[in-house]
Amino acid sequence: MARQPASGDRPTVKDVAASSGVSATTVSRVLAGNYPVSTATRARVMKAVRELDYVINAQARALGGGGTKTVAFIVHDLVGPSFAYVGQGVEQQATAEGRLCLVCTTHGDPERELELIELMREQQAEAVVLVGGGTNSRTYLERMTQIARALDKSGSRLVLCGRPPLGPDVPATVVEYDNEGGAYAITSYLISLGHRDIVFMGAGEPGHTTIDGRLRGFERAHQAHQLSAPSQQAVAITFDRQSGYRATRDLLAAGRKFTAIFAATDVVASGVLVALREAGLRVPEDISVVGYDDIPLATDLTPMLTTVHVDYEELGRTAVRHALNRDRHAMSQHTVMGVHVVIRDSAGPLPKPARR
Amino acid sequence: MARQPASGDRPTVKDVAASSGVSATTVSRVLAGNYPVSTATRARVMKAVRELDYVINAQARALGGGGTKTVAFIVHDLVGPSFAYVGQGVEQQATAEGRLCLVCTTHGDPERELELIELMREQQAEAVVLVGGGTNSRTYLERMTQIARALDKSGSRLVLCGRPPLGPDVPATVVEYDNEGGAYAITSYLISLGHRDIVFMGAGEPGHTTIDGRLRGFERAHQAHQLSAPSQQAVAITFDRQSGYRATRDLLAAGRKFTAIFAATDVVASGVLVALREAGLRVPEDISVVGYDDIPLATDLTPMLTTVHVDYEELGRTAVRHALNRDRHAMSQHTVMGVHVVIRDSAGPLPKPARR
DNA sequence: TTGTATGCGTTATCAC
DNA sequence: GTGATAACGCATACAA
């Protein structure tokens, strides 16, 4: 009987080999199953594996054999509703393709993001998925391009989810959804209901590509209907509930004239609703409100929110799928996913002019 | 000049060594930084590292050197509000302790869970964190005990988050929060408001340890006030919004007499609120509603939900902290974290008897 | 301060 | 069918 390894140090192929009276090579072959081995030998080896409770060492296998089979997922944080869904999609697709999934959070720190990408390069991650809108600055583009090239050289792949593409000659996979189209559609919907004074609540962060796209759609819809888009209002810098709440209150206090609010995100919309309710305004009878994202919260609000549906989970899945199954010689990949308006109860026809 | 490695195959220490005219050992020392190296040599090596864009191979390092520095996080799915927070905590603490974080989802499949644990054993994960209530069945306990032992033998550690402990002689780290205490507290609060007919909405899944604990607290509060606890109602099997909605509607249709509903989770409560509103009942004037979890949704509901706050993020952090910094000889670890009632707007004094 | 030799656990390449 | 042996990329012990 071979030595019984003590608690804490794992048995190795050698232990199994000794215990079953064959060579380490044979053990490896039995476990891999990709090589002819006699039935009797296989049985003996498997018995020893069970007795020793042997499991293979993934690190060592990666060193000797092929790659590492890991996808890295880097995100601001895990608790944002959309982030969690993208993560779910990434993990799902990574698993479906036989990869493991590493997660890391940056909490908005760009330095940390760089560190993490470097770490993932060390880990030999096959794909590094970056999630969440970045700014569209020149330095950002340059830095990302450099990172894309570095990862490519390491045999890895940079994947951008919901960020703008870097250029046709940059080795990266980009998957976005149609921010502008969705905003155009839902703004048109409000206009078709008769609204002419619509506030876009979400300005204040120029260069943020997600919000910029939505704002562009908002403005384009006005142009398409020969309307002048009201200057965007209500600096909602942080894009949380509170900022939506405060911005709406300020708007009301300033006596601004409007019949509808297009909140840049559902979360902002939830704050808007609270402020309107506190002011004694009814939604949608007095003021219409729409959001963007269609997170589960949208149906929990009162009234249920009319918004733009984004399939974040599919976004994550697509990102990983494209990154792993790409043409080896392909450089830049770019996919834009569709979105659609979901009509619920928070937007209605224009109130009678007499009302306010 | 040394060979420029082609795209796809990474430079190794040897490449760096050749390029900077030193031995591989010296390169290793420069990078590790834990050994005296002359300033000039260090500079030359670092220059070569930059030029070749070298990054260390984490797999190889793990094989030669010490452990792997990885924490695995296995969860039902990433999008549940509490799961996401626990995950956030796990990732945060793992990062703080210099570990990487692997995530896997089971989607409720026990077989998948077993596979994943085995996978994590191969990966040499230092800790394997299992999140979410399991059933308290005998087979579950036996299986988990076996897994705990297997992981322990591999030098890893099983961590149970929000699941019951396995026993004093089982090598596992368990971190729970006080389901029973929280339920006791919030039920007492309702009783103190005058309520005597309280429905506990969440029966129907016996053996589910989380819900069982809450139900126990509900019943104990009744006993403490010399009240007989109403038999639990409203089979809300799936614990989603819909089941809360349907169960409430059924309750109303059946003409059941009650003045308050204790929803087993905030998500269920959100469905309850919709059903009550549709029935023309006001909250809290006609019916009081309380939840459990205090997820962000709780403040987005109308009215804002009185509920039991659970610090899920801290739960995740504590789990990882205890698992990594335990006494090497400690077997079973068990921690119960506190919770507290958060009073908002959804529960009020008993309505006048005349009302219904 | 630096270099040489060896080992980590596995797989691939040869030989038998 | 099976086994010995040399990689894989890095870290450590030992020498110099």
Side-chain angles (χ1 to χ4, degrees):
Chain A
M1 186 65 180
R3 72 183 181 90
Q4 266 293 356
S7 167
D9 63 330
R10 314 155 49 115
T12 73
V13 269
K14 280 185 189 161
D15 296 312
V16 177
S19 174
S20 51
V22 298
S23 74
T25 305
T26 303
V27 173
S28 173
R29 292 207 258 251
V30 168
L31 292 169
N34 51 7
Y35 212 85
V37 177
S38 87
T39 318
T41 308
R42 156 169 289 113
R44 281 221 315 286
V45 169
M46 289 313 289
K47 181 160 171 289
V49 165
R50 272 192 302 277
E51 280 175 5
L52 294 176
D53 203 11
Y54 168 83
V55 284
I56 208 166
N57 182 328
Q59 323 285 344
R61 186 221 287 274
L63 228 205
T68 315
K69 306 302 174 194
T70 303
V71 168
F73 174 60
I74 300 182
V75 67
H76 187 115
D77 59 63
L78 285 177
V79 299
S82 53
F83 289 164
Y85 276 93
V86 177
Q88 176 97 331
V90 167
E91 193 276 341
Q92 194 173 311
Q93 189 65 29
T95 299
E97 308 225 19
R99 270 74 168 186
L100 250 37
C101 187
L102 280 165
V103 271
C104 316
T105 62
T106 64
H107 299 283
D109 180 1
E111 293 309 311
R112 177 80 188 132
E113 186 172 280
L114 284 178
E115 284 174 34
L116 287 174
I117 293 172
E118 206 62 9
L119 247 177
M120 293 309 117
R121 211 142 76 91
E122 297 180 1
Q123 294 294 325
Q124 316 256 68
E126 276 184 273
V128 178
V129 182
L130 259 46
V131 182
T135 53
N136 213 348
S137 68
R138 215 178 122 62
T139 57
Y140 164 80
L141 286 175
E142 279 171 3
R143 214 185 59 187
M144 276 302 148
T145 298
Q146 190 188 345
I147 288 171
R149 297 231 161 87
L151 284 173
D152 182 61
K153 265 199 352 204
S154 307
S156 182
R157 180 77 173 180
L158 177 66
V159 184
L160 265 29
C161 249
R163 297 195 185 189
L166 301 172
D169 56 338
V170 181
T173 299
V174 178
V175 181
E176 305 182 87
Y177 51 93
D178 191 0
N179 277 304
E180 182 173 340
Y184 179 89
I186 202 161
T187 305
S188 296
Y189 172 65
L190 286 175
I191 293 175
S192 76
L193 287 172
H195 294 277
R196 292 298 177 271
D197 297 300
I198 310 171
V199 171
F200 179 81
M201 186 163 294
E205 194 161 355
H208 186 107
T209 56
T210 299
I211 301 303
D212 280 358
R214 295 180 186 181
L215 180 54
R216 220 160 34 239
F218 174 75
E219 289 168 342
R220 198 157 59 73
H222 279 80
Q223 288 160 19
H225 293 81
Q226 269 85 42
L227 298 171
S228 64
S231 68
Q232 58 271 24
Q233 268 290 355
V235 193
I237 294 186
T238 50
F239 290 91
D240 57 9
R241 242 172 72 89
Q242 275 304 315
S243 65
Y245 172 79
R246 275 196 295 265
T248 305
R249 235 183 24 187
D250 294 350
L251 221 52
L252 257 19
R256 183 99 153 63
K257 176 166 168 281
F258 59 92
T259 63
I261 296 180
F262 177 6
T265 73
D266 288 352
V267 171
V268 170
S270 87
V272 169
L273 289 179
V274 174
L276 291 176
R277 183 160 43 239
E278 280 187 12
L281 262 19
R282 294 167 306 163
V283 176
E285 291 83 353
D286 299 326
I287 302 281
S288 287
V289 176
V290 299
Y292 206 119
D293 287 341
D294 195 26
I295 58 179
L297 164 68
T299 56
D300 286 319
L301 294 174
T302 310
M304 295 204 287
L305 199 63
T306 291
T307 185
V308 179
H309 180 79
V310 180
D311 193 341
Y312 283 108
E313 200 169 320
E314 178 63 18
L315 190 70
R317 276 195 297 263
T318 303
V320 172
R321 193 172 342 108
H322 286 196
L324 295 181
N325 306 318
R326 69 186 190 277
D327 176 4
R328 283 284 143 215
H329 303 293
M331 282 294 271
S332 167
Q333 295 174 292
H334 186 199
T335 308
V336 178
M337 298 183 51
V339 299
H340 62 265
V341 173
V342 178
I343 297 180
R344 298 209 181 86
D345 310 326
S346 65
L350 189 66
K352 298 286 172 295
R355 179 157 299 282
R356 37 179 299 128
Chain B
M1 187 64 182
R3 72 182 181 91
Q4 267 294 355
S7 168
D9 63 328
R10 313 154 51 114
T12 73
V13 270
K14 279 185 189 161
D15 297 312
V16 177
S19 174
S20 51
V22 297
S23 74
T25 305
T26 302
V27 174
S28 173
R29 294 207 256 251
V30 168
L31 292 169
N34 51 6
Y35 212 85
V37 177
S38 88
T39 318
T41 308
R42 156 169 290 113
R44 281 221 316 285
V45 169
M46 290 313 289
K47 180 160 173 288
V49 165
R50 273 192 302 277
E51 280 176 4
L52 295 176
D53 204 10
Y54 168 83
V55 284
I56 208 166
N57 182 329
Q59 323 285 345
R61 185 222 287 276
L63 190 50
T68 315
K69 306 303 175 192
T70 303
V71 169
F73 174 58
I74 299 181
V75 66
H76 187 115
D77 59 62
L78 285 176
V79 300
S82 54
F83 288 164
Y85 276 94
V86 177
Q88 176 98 333
V90 167
E91 192 276 341
Q92 194 173 311
Q93 189 65 29
T95 298
E97 307 224 20
R99 270 74 167 184
L100 249 38
C101 188
L102 279 166
V103 271
C104 316
T105 62
T106 64
H107 298 283
D109 180 1
E111 292 310 311
R112 178 76 188 135
E113 186 173 280
L114 284 178
E115 284 174 33
L116 287 173
I117 293 172
E118 205 62 10
L119 247 177
M120 292 309 118
R121 209 143 77 90
E122 297 180 0
Q123 294 293 324
Q124 317 257 69
E126 275 184 272
V128 178
V129 182
L130 260 45
V131 182
T135 55
N136 214 349
S137 69
R138 217 178 119 63
T139 57
Y140 164 80
L141 286 174
E142 278 170 3
R143 212 185 61 187
M144 275 302 148
T145 298
Q146 190 188 344
I147 287 172
R149 298 230 161 87
L151 284 172
D152 183 61
K153 266 200 350 207
S154 307
S156 182
R157 180 78 174 179
L158 177 66
V159 184
L160 265 31
C161 249
R163 297 195 187 189
L166 300 173
D169 55 338
V170 181
T173 299
V174 178
V175 182
E176 304 182 88
Y177 51 93
D178 191 1
N179 277 303
E180 181 172 340
Y184 179 90
I186 202 160
T187 305
S188 296
Y189 172 65
L190 286 174
I191 293 174
S192 76
L193 287 172
H195 295 277
R196 292 297 177 271
D197 297 300
I198 310 171
V199 170
F200 179 81
M201 184 161 295
E205 194 160 358
H208 186 106
T209 57
T210 300
I211 302 303
D212 280 359
R214 294 179 187 181
L215 179 53
R216 219 158 37 238
F218 173 74
E219 289 168 342
R220 198 156 61 73
H222 279 80
Q223 289 160 16
H225 291 81
Q226 268 86 41
L227 298 170
S228 63
S231 68
Q232 58 271 24
Q233 268 289 355
V235 193
I237 294 188
T238 50
F239 291 90
D240 56 10
R241 242 172 71 90
Q242 276 304 315
S243 65
Y245 172 79
R246 274 196 296 265
T248 304
R249 234 183 23 188
D250 294 350
L251 221 53
L252 257 18
R256 182 101 153 62
K257 175 167 170 282
F258 60 91
T259 63
I261 296 180
F262 177 6
T265 72
D266 288 352
V267 172
V268 170
S270 85
V272 169
L273 289 179
V274 174
L276 291 176
R277 183 161 41 239
E278 281 186 12
L281 261 20
R282 295 167 306 164
V283 176
E285 291 83 355
D286 299 325
I287 302 281
S288 286
V289 176
V290 300
Y292 207 119
D293 287 342
D294 194 26
I295 59 179
L297 164 68
T299 57
D300 286 317
L301 294 174
T302 311
M304 294 203 287
L305 199 63
T306 290
T307 185
V308 179
H309 180 79
V310 180
D311 194 340
Y312 283 108
E313 200 169 319
E314 178 63 19
L315 190 70
R317 277 195 297 262
T318 304
V320 173
R321 194 172 342 106
H322 286 196
L324 296 180
N325 305 319
R326 70 186 190 278
D327 177 2
R328 283 285 143 213
H329 303 294
M331 281 294 271
S332 167
Q333 296 174 291
H334 187 199
T335 308
V336 178
M337 298 183 51
V339 299
H340 62 266
V341 173
V342 178
I343 297 180
R344 297 209 180 88
D345 309 327
S346 65
L350 189 66
K352 299 287 172 292
R355 179 157 300 282
R356 37 178 299 128

